[in-house]
Amino acid sequence: MRTTTPRRRWRSGTEPATARSDLKLRFLLSLTFTPLFALATLGFALWAVASPAFGAPSRGTLIGFAVACGVLTLFAAVDLAVVVRRRRTEL
């Protein structure tokens, strides 16, 4: 049986072989947007509860915005946790 070795892909750009992300910028962005998206989630959820059944925008639209902001809050919080962990180990 012939063993296959993984092929190396040629880099197409001018990026370094050991490229790293800017942890300070990711930390700042996650720290800024986690509470912002959390407040937006809360605001849309409260607006959806207080809105009339057939108002404009509809409750479904407001609930959709609340869910979308909730997902973005979760994404930003997970990214913040990853950045904090990587900063502790790398810096």
Side-chain angles (χ1 to χ4, degrees):
M1 176 182 255
R2 185 176 138 191
T3 61
T4 59
T5 58
R7 291 185 179 184
R8 288 188 177 189
R9 283 196 152 171
W10 293 99
R11 292 183 293 136
S12 61
T14 59
E15 74 276 358
T18 58
R20 293 173 27 166
S21 65
D22 187 8
L23 291 180
K24 289 179 186 178
L25 179 62
R26 280 180 60 191
F27 178 74
L28 179 66
L29 289 172
S30 294
L31 196 63
T32 302
F33 284 107
T34 300
L36 183 74
F37 286 137
L39 286 173
T41 302
L42 181 65
F44 281 122
L46 291 176
W47 189 9
V49 169
S51 69
F54 297 105
S58 67
R59 278 189 187 165
T61 302
L62 294 173
I63 290 171
F65 282 135
V67 168
C69 286
V71 169
L72 290 172
T73 301
L74 181 65
F75 182 77
V78 168
D79 189 48
L80 182 62
V82 167
V83 168
V84 167
R85 190 188 80 218
R86 282 186 58 195
R87 285 185 74 180
R88 284 184 188 155
T89 59
E90 291 181 11
L91 297 179

